[in-house]
Amino acid sequence: MIHISQASDALTLTKLLIDENYTQEIKEQYYRQDARKYYKVWGFDYCLGYTKGLPNNNANRSDAYARELVLEVGGKQALAELKKFVEHRKKYSSLTNCLNLYDSKEYQDEIERIVKKYCKDCK
């Protein structure tokens, strides 16, 4: 039981450190540099069901939380559009199905469209 408590404490500490160090300026910088990557991975996480209740489930990893913070810069509408796209194309949340979606040209095109729409300064 101590190990679970220690892991929970470590995740809480990591979350606090990220919250403290991810200033708006830093989030914007990361967003502009890697928006495509963040959206692609977020959509994959969403396909697998990892984004649901992020603070309350096993997806509460520091990288997932950091990705959520960075994507705040693009706004909720961008994530809503990506969510809708993924929901219409996934049959079920299996690794194989989500990998096929992730590798599809259609998904790559949708990511590009979202980045162009929501990030005028992205590279």
Side-chain angles (χ1 to χ4, degrees), residues 49-62:
Y50 288 170
T51 59
K52 295 178 180 151
L54 186 62
N56 299 319
N57 70 16
N58 64 353
N60 190 3
R61 306 176 317 264
S62 60

Side-chain angles (χ1 to χ4, degrees), residues 81-82 85 105-114:
E81 288 181 29
L82 183 54
F85 178 87
K105 180 172 177 9
E106 188 179 29
Y107 184 69
Q108 306 308 318
D109 291 345
E110 180 65 6
I111 296 298
E112 195 61 37
R113 184 195 69 76
I114 289 172

Side-chain angles (χ1 to χ4, degrees), residues 50-123:
Y50 288 170
T51 59
K52 295 178 180 151
L54 186 62
N56 299 319
N57 70 16
N58 64 353
N60 190 3
R61 306 176 317 264
S62 60
D63 61 326
Y65 186 71
R67 192 166 35 258
E68 290 278 336
L69 287 177
V70 170
L71 289 176
E72 285 176 8
V73 173
K76 291 181 181 182
Q77 187 59 35
L79 289 180
E81 288 181 29
L82 183 54
K83 210 184 265 193
K84 184 177 177 180
F85 178 87
V86 171
E87 286 173 356
H88 282 54
R89 282 147 186 89
K90 73 175 187 172
K91 296 176 182 109
Y92 45 87
S93 293
S94 75
L95 180 58
T96 302
N97 184 52
C98 294
L99 281 170
N100 287 336
L101 176 66
Y102 184 86
D103 285 340
S104 72
K105 180 172 177 9
E106 188 179 29
Y107 184 69
Q108 306 308 318
D109 291 345
E110 180 65 6
I111 296 298
E112 195 61 37
R113 184 195 69 76
I114 289 172
V115 170
K116 285 180 181 177
K117 182 176 180 180
Y118 292 98
C119 187
K120 306 297 182 208
D121 299 329
C122 285
K123 299 175 182 183

